[in-house]
């Protein structure tokens, strides 16, 4: 089982210069290697189309070629960076090509603001007391606010505007005892950052998150009014980036808290598979944006459930908001209709609540009886949870 831990680190001025220089060296290597592979693939295409083998090199260049090249001829800048960190950059290029072959976008050149991390994949780092020791950089002050479990595999340093973080990816080998499934819930994740469970309980995101989102809109508007390429515009851009960061952190916090509550309360948790949902209804932009935050929540819930021996299931979305959770008939309604009223069986309930029940019904673990139980006054879920809403409006 893998688990990752993130901590903030506090480099001094001198160390920050080195960190920035390492990032820049890595970024240049990334872009150069990407350019080389791009060139090679174009030559390769030439050969395929016209039957010529230019410069007698018919093969594709791969990670190993580039790694050999790197060891053979390092620039002065590259010599200042721990060698495995550089190799990891080549690995990243390689991975981006592999992703491309799997159907993702073509690898992109990385600008200064985009390329923001580097990784020690095996060694070259360590922790001593309250210091993170990085080879070729120094020992940086770190605040370890939680204990690290398991064996640290990789160490990634990340820059976030004016702050620095380290992420340790750890391997924990402790046996996981599977829990017998006694409690379960289906969860509908809504457009307005609202979470509805199949027992009708809802979890709302904290108020301050909404306040930050309003502030972001404000600052973005201000940014769009600034003159192009002006000093003011640059300054405003940093302000916007910082608000973004604040929201990101608040969302993450919310996702951690919520997922903890879910996993503590339920043994079996069912969500809709958002990737499929996006493919089906990608015309709704707002929905796919809000889904980005939900993916994080689902990811955290999965990770925590795995540790606890519980089950998170992702089901294919199947008209969960349209169908009646009691009689199964289709009751079409657009997004503005908030209440599900069934003309066939008379069921009347909140739209999201109806969807959440349907999501639980699709679950393969409970197919059949669970659905019927869930509709009949949601008795089953209430018995299972037996609690008041976890932290509505906190
Ligand atoms: Zn009905």
């Amino acid at each position: 089982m893998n688990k990752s831990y993130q901590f903030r680190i506090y480099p001094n001025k001198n160390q920050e210069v080195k960190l920035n220089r390492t990032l820049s060296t890595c970024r240049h290597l990334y872009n150069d290697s990407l350019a080389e592979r791009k060139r090679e693939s174009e030559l390769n295409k030439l050969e395929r189309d016209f039957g010529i083998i230019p410069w007698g090199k018919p093969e594709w260049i791969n990670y190993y070629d580039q790694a050999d090249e790197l060891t053979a001829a390092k620039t002065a800048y590259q010599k200042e960076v721990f060698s495995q960190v550089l190799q990891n950059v080549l690995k990243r290029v390689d991975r981006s090509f592999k992703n491309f072959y799997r159907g993702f976008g073509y690898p992109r050149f990385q600008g200064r603001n985009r390329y923001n991390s580097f990784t020690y994949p095996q060694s070259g780092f360590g922790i001593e007391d309250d210091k993170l020791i990085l080879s070729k950089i120094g020992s940086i002050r770190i605040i370890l606010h939680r204990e690290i479990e398991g064996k640290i595999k990789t160490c990634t340093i990340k820059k976030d505007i004016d702050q620095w973080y380290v992420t340790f990816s750890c391997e924990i080998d402790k046996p996981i005892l599977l829990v017998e499934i006694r409690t379960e819930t289906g969860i509908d994740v809504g457009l307005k950052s609202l979470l509805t469970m199949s027992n009708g309980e809802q979890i709302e995101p904290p108020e301050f998150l909404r306040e930050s989102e309003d502030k972001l809109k404000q600052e973005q508007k201000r940014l769009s009014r600034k003159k192009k390429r002006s000093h003011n515009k640059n300054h405003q851009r940093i302000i916007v980036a910082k608000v973004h960061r604040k929201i990101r952190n608040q969302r993450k916090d919310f996702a951690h808290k919520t997922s903890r509550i879910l996993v503590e309360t339920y043994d079996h948790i069912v969500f809709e598979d958002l990737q499929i949902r996006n493919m089906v209804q990608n015309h709704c932009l707002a929905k796919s944006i809000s889904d980005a935050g939900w993916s994080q929540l689902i990811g955290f819930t999965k990770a925590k459930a795995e540790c606890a021996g519980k089950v998170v299931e992702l089901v294919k979305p199947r008209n969960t908001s349209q169908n009646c959770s009691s009689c199964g008939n289709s009751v079409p309604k657009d997004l503005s209709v908030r209440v599900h009223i069934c003309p066939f069986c008379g069921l009347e309930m909140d739209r999201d609540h109806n969807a959440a029940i349907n999501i639980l019904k699709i679950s393969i673990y409970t197919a059949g009886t669970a659905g019927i139980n869930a509709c009949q006054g949601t008795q089953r879920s209430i018995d299972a949870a037996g609690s008041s809403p976890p932290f509505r409006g906190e």
Side-chain angles (χ1 to χ4, degrees):
M1 188 175 65
N2 290 318
K3 201 170 177 180
S4 58
Y5 298 88
Q6 194 176 57
F7 303 99
R8 189 158 168 201
I9 53 173
Y10 301 85
N12 60 33
K13 278 271 164 321
N14 185 15
Q15 291 166 338
E16 194 162 12
V17 170
K18 285 186 185 169
L19 288 170
N20 275 318
R21 205 183 288 161
T22 303
L23 259 187
S24 156
T25 305
C26 288
R27 185 171 70 86
H28 280 115
L29 177 64
Y30 185 94
N31 286 340
D32 290 348
S33 318
L34 180 61
E36 189 183 28
R37 290 186 70 150
K38 241 174 150 166
R39 209 161 48 230
E40 290 292 317
S41 71
E42 274 152 25
L43 291 180
N44 194 287
K45 191 166 173 290
L46 207 66
E47 186 244 318
R48 203 181 53 217
D49 293 351
F50 301 103
I52 27 174
I53 300 176
W55 299 280
K57 240 184 136 186
E59 283 105 22
W60 292 75
I61 194 163
N62 63 22
Y63 164 75
Y64 297 99
D65 299 327
Q66 292 195 319
D68 286 347
E69 254 173 64
L70 177 71
T71 353
K74 271 188 195 167
T75 65
Y77 289 114
Q78 287 167 349
K79 280 180 189 149
E80 284 175 34
V81 178
F82 189 66
S83 61
Q84 289 187 351
V85 169
L86 294 174
Q87 279 162 18
N88 177 263
V89 172
L90 299 177
K91 274 259 157 73
R92 289 185 186 192
V93 176
D94 197 50
R95 203 183 313 137
S96 71
F97 270 95
K98 282 190 176 133
N99 285 340
F100 168 60
Y101 301 137
R102 281 171 45 218
F104 291 88
Y106 197 79
R108 284 170 62 168
F109 289 105
Q110 303 286 315
R112 207 179 312 154
N113 295 325
R114 260 179 78 87
Y115 201 89
N116 61 0
S117 71
F118 59 90
T119 299
Y120 290 79
Q122 265 177 350
S123 57
F125 61 89
I127 302 171
E128 252 172 45
D129 300 327
D130 54 350
K131 291 274 196 289
L132 170 69
I133 298 155
L134 296 178
S135 175
K136 303 260 188 179
I137 289 172
S139 36
I140 304 174
R141 196 160 72 87
I142 182 172
I143 294 177
L144 294 163
H145 54 79
R146 54 196 282 225
E147 206 179 324
I148 300 173
E149 260 184 284
K151 197 168 169 251
I152 302 178
K153 288 298 193 186
T154 69
C155 163
T156 298
I157 308 297
K158 191 172 167 195
K159 182 185 187 180
D160 190 345
I161 315 168
D162 53 353
Q163 299 175 355
W164 293 86
Y165 294 87
V166 59
T167 304
F168 298 112
S169 167
C170 300
E171 211 174 73
I172 306 173
D173 47 282
K174 90 179 165 204
I176 297 163
L177 296 171
L178 291 180
V179 169
E180 190 195 337
I181 294 176
R182 291 211 180 91
T183 54
E184 60 185 359
T185 187
I187 295 178
D188 177 71
V189 294
L191 193 58
K192 287 201 214 115
S193 358
L194 187 77
L195 206 122
T196 308
M197 290 180 267
S198 49
N199 63 356
E201 286 178 6
Q202 294 189 319
I203 298 179
E204 269 179 84
E207 192 57 40
F208 55 75
L209 183 55
R210 206 156 289 162
E211 281 164 19
S212 304
E213 281 167 347
D214 288 343
K215 177 147 169 67
L216 178 66
K217 261 179 224 148
Q218 239 174 58
E219 298 294 349
Q220 270 171 335
K221 203 181 264 171
R222 216 168 272 169
L223 176 67
S224 67
R225 277 197 239 109
K226 300 274 186 226
K227 229 162 88 200
K228 256 188 193 170
R229 288 198 198 88
S230 66
H231 174 74
N232 274 337
K233 180 142 196 162
N234 244 336
H235 183 71
Q236 186 62 25
R237 196 170 289 143
I238 291 169
I239 292 178
V240 170
K242 284 185 181 168
V243 182
H244 262 299
R245 174 172 69 196
K246 189 167 175 194
I247 292 177
R248 204 162 55 235
N249 289 340
Q250 286 176 336
R251 266 215 195 107
K252 197 166 156 189
D253 223 50
F254 172 65
H256 267 307
K257 252 190 211 160
T258 311
S259 57
R260 198 178 312 129
I261 290 169
L262 289 177
V263 173
E264 275 167 9
T265 318
Y266 298 104
D267 303 330
H268 175 210
I269 302 162
V270 189
F271 290 101
E272 264 182 342
D273 191 332
L274 298 183
Q275 254 175 332
I276 299 178
R277 185 164 101 175
N278 263 339
M279 272 190 270
V280 178
Q281 1 175 278
N282 56 0
H283 56 272
C284 181
L285 185 66
K287 193 135 203 150
S288 57
I289 289 169
S290 76
D291 281 357
W294 292 127
S295 303
Q296 187 179 45
L297 174 78
I298 295 175
F300 287 170
T301 311
K302 266 172 145 176
K304 289 189 173 72
E306 196 188 338
C307 288
K310 298 185 171 187
V311 182
V312 169
E313 188 186 352
L314 300 185
V315 294
K316 267 190 202 166
R318 256 183 263 151
N319 299 321
T320 43
S321 59
Q322 308 301 329
N323 289 354
C324 177
S325 59
S326 176
C327 65
N329 279 304
S330 175
V331 186
K333 47 189 163 308
D334 63 36
L335 272 172
S336 63
V337 183
R338 300 311 308 163
V339 182
H340 167 86
I341 301 170
C342 180
F344 304 97
C345 71
L347 179 73
E348 190 176 329
M349 62 163 57
D350 178 75
R351 172 204 179 95
D352 297 335
H353 184 189
N354 179 58
I357 295 172
N358 279 330
I359 289 168
L360 182 61
K361 275 170 92 174
I362 298 173
S363 158
I364 50 163
Y365 276 78
T366 50
T369 55
I372 298 160
N373 286 338
C375 304
Q376 284 165 354
T378 67
Q379 200 52 49
R380 184 189 170 103
S381 316
I382 288 167
D383 283 347
S387 63
S388 54
F391 63 104
R392 186 193 292 260
E394 186 188 323

